[in-house]
Amino acid sequence: MIILIIGIAYSFSKDANLLKNISLYFPHKWAIFAPISLFIIFIILMVIMLREKYKRTDINWLFSLAGGFLFVYLMMLFSKIYPLL
């Protein structure tokens, strides 16, 4: 989330022209579907976990696992975009 917020803030800043040089190309539709579905699953698990007040251990572990995968994906995406800046 922090990376997304920084990216949005950076795109509206005075150095937004640097972002025009970056082109993201997804060769298959699954390449964009997987991260979007991972983010949606993360949000759904977070809502369920907060609604259950941390009582269900399996939901807590699934939320942690989804958060870990989302973090790894965002780091890989950032490492791919950062050299282009």
Side-chain angles (χ1 to χ4, degrees):
M1 292 297 293
I2 294 171
I3 294 173
L4 291 174
I5 292 170
I6 291 173
I8 291 170
Y10 187 73
S11 67
F12 288 117
S13 71
K14 59 183 175 184
D15 295 332
N17 293 329
L18 289 175
L19 294 178
K20 292 179 183 177
N21 298 332
I22 297 174
S23 62
L24 288 177
Y25 173 70
F26 295 102
H28 305 289
K29 63 180 177 180
W30 295 107
I32 192 69
F33 177 73
I36 290 173
S37 64
L38 181 63
F39 184 71
I40 290 170
I41 289 170
F42 179 78
I43 297 297
I44 290 171
L45 284 172
M46 182 176 59
V47 168
I48 292 172
M49 184 186 66
L50 292 174
R51 198 176 279 168
E52 294 287 328
K53 304 286 186 198
Y54 304 103
K55 291 178 184 173
R56 296 184 55 190
T57 307
D58 55 342
I59 300 294
N60 295 343
W61 279 104
L62 285 174
F63 175 72
S64 299
L65 189 64
F69 280 130
L70 189 63
F71 177 75
V72 168
Y73 178 78
L74 289 174
M75 287 297 109
M76 289 190 316
L77 182 66
F78 182 72
S79 68
K80 194 75 165 170
I81 292 175
Y82 186 72
L84 299 175
L85 294 176

